[in-house]
Amino acid sequence: MNIYVSNLSFNVQDEDLREFFAEYGEVTSAKVITDKFTQKSRGFGFVEMPNDEAAQKAIAELDGGVVEGRTIRVTVAKPREESSNRGGGGSFQKRSFSNNRY
């Protein structure tokens, strides 16, 4: 099961996230998401646990917990939606204004 963890302290690292969930069962991956330019934490991450029962227990017990003074939110991750609008740039149209005052 893929788990979304938000409102993390900016000091939390991947290994810290793994340790929070390891108490509940096997963790196959734990990743704090970082800004691609600054490499600083964006304050959220994802944890993958193969056992759904252990994952549900972790979610129930960790959601609303306090980590480094911040109340974290722990939920089942929603699948990423495909967007045809990704990549930017595409078809910008220059607007023409017909309100010529001069």
Side-chain angles (χ1 to χ4, degrees):
M1 176 179 289
N2 198 15
I3 302 166
Y4 173 70
V5 186
S6 62
N7 203 35
L8 289 170
S9 162
F10 297 113
N11 298 322
V12 172
Q13 303 292 314
D14 294 350
E15 193 54 38
D16 301 322
L17 197 55
R18 178 180 293 278
E19 288 174 11
F20 299 154
F21 285 83
E23 293 180 39
Y24 300 93
E26 181 185 353
V27 174
T28 51
S29 70
K31 180 73 179 154
V32 173
I33 304 304
T34 56
D35 181 273
K36 68 181 179 179
F37 299 111
T38 66
Q39 301 306 309
K40 292 183 180 180
S41 170
R42 293 188 56 203
F44 68 95
F46 294 92
V47 176
E48 184 75 36
M49 297 181 76
N51 182 309
D52 286 355
E53 190 174 309
Q56 288 291 358
K57 183 175 183 187
I59 291 169
E61 294 187 17
L62 292 173
D63 185 38
V66 177
V67 176
E68 292 193 17
R70 296 180 69 128
T71 303
I72 63 170
R73 294 280 299 137
V74 183
T75 60
V76 174
K78 295 179 179 145
R80 195 172 192 179
E81 291 186 21
E82 290 298 316
S83 173
S84 61
N85 213 8
R86 296 193 77 118
S91 60
F92 175 79
Q93 292 182 341
K94 189 174 183 180
R95 294 183 186 198
S96 61
F97 295 96
S98 61
N99 190 3
N100 294 332
R101 294 185 182 177
Y102 303 104

